[in-house]
Amino acid sequence: MLDSNEEQTGAGSFLSPILECLNRDAKKVVTLLVTDPQQDYRTDAVPLLDETLQSKLGMENVDVEEVLVYLQLCKNISLVFLDGWQEVTNHVCAVTKALSKRPFKLLTERAELPFCVDGSWASGVRVERDGSGLIQVWSRQVQQLNRVSPTVASTVIAAYPSPQLLLQAYQSLDSEEDRKSLLAGLLVKSGGKERRIGPEISARVYRCLTAQNPQLVLD
């Protein structure tokens, strides 16, 4: 392929079906995992594989790196040299894990998701097996609401340390108005001053935890 000035199809080689696929869709990128199951490479796997390729494929006069660059730039084919089948398995697992996380990462990068707030405090909370960390998650959930400060969130979780306790308090009340104003009277202490949470934030928390309509605007 390197020595020819004409476009090659790779007919008669193992590249044939790959090139046919790439010819149908130029945007596709193929990665070939290269290993030699008959060899046991303990150290420095890539140079040994390069030497094996040169000797087995008669490529003494052609540098392997030149072929790799040609395949990657001109054919959208990347080669990864791996030391045995265990490394092949590890590579496939790593790629599979990365692909499984990709949809979530794409969603969090979209600007139209306002609840994915920026800042170091929004990086997440580690929850242990014994449940420690759940109260911090509950606090972060309350803080995601518009115009709810960490101080206000701390006041809410001090009165109701879990969402379940707050939901139970809502269920114990008879009227909708009482449920909306349940948190309004809680005192928020900040900078030596005290103020109440107020009916607006109280109603917003109530709608967030009980609304059945996913398109409902909380404000």
Side-chain angles (χ1 to χ4, degrees), residues 62-82:
V62 180
D63 188 48
V64 172
E65 282 74 17
E66 185 180 355
V67 178
L68 299 182
V69 171
Y70 172 80
L71 288 174
Q72 186 169 3
L73 296 182
C74 300
K75 300 297 181 180
N76 286 341
I77 299 176
S78 299
L79 271 71
V80 178
F81 295 102
L82 298 172

Side-chain angles (χ1 to χ4, degrees), residues 152 155-156 159-160 177-189 194-203:
V152 173
T155 302
V156 173
Y160 302 96
E177 291 302 320
D178 290 341
R179 298 187 187 102
K180 289 182 178 180
S181 60
L182 175 63
L183 304 176
L186 296 179
L187 291 176
V188 180
K189 297 180 180 180
E194 290 185 349
R195 63 182 179 86
R196 299 187 184 278
I197 287 181
E200 181 184 352
I201 293 180
S202 178

Side-chain angles (χ1 to χ4, degrees), residues 47-106:
L48 288 175
L49 282 169
D50 288 351
E51 294 174 4
T52 303
L53 284 175
Q54 291 180 2
S55 61
K56 288 186 175 182
L57 303 180
M59 297 172 61
E60 293 83 355
N61 297 326
V62 180
D63 188 48
V64 172
E65 282 74 17
E66 185 180 355
V67 178
L68 299 182
V69 171
Y70 172 80
L71 288 174
Q72 186 169 3
L73 296 182
C74 300
K75 300 297 181 180
N76 286 341
I77 299 176
S78 299
L79 271 71
V80 178
F81 295 102
L82 298 172
D83 183 12
W85 290 109
Q86 183 60 50
E87 285 198 5
V88 172
T89 303
N90 294 339
H91 182 84
V92 172
C93 290
V95 172
T96 303
K97 183 178 180 180
L99 290 176
S100 66
K101 292 182 177 180
R102 191 166 183 264
F104 172 76
K105 290 183 178 180
L106 291 177

Side-chain angles (χ1 to χ4, degrees), residues 148-215:
V148 174
S149 65
T151 306
V152 173
S154 298
T155 302
V156 173
I157 66 174
Y160 302 96
S162 72
Q164 184 65 31
L165 291 175
L166 183 53
L167 288 173
Q168 290 175 357
Y170 286 142
Q171 294 171 358
S172 65
L173 299 175
D174 295 330
S175 67
E176 186 81 1
E177 291 302 320
D178 290 341
R179 298 187 187 102
K180 289 182 178 180
S181 60
L182 175 63
L183 304 176
L186 296 179
L187 291 176
V188 180
K189 297 180 180 180
S190 177
K193 299 180 180 180
E194 290 185 349
R195 63 182 179 86
R196 299 187 184 278
I197 287 181
E200 181 184 352
I201 293 180
S202 178
R204 197 182 312 139
V205 174
Y206 171 71
R207 288 193 295 269
C208 177
L209 293 180
T210 61
Q212 300 296 318
N213 178 13
Q215 305 300 326

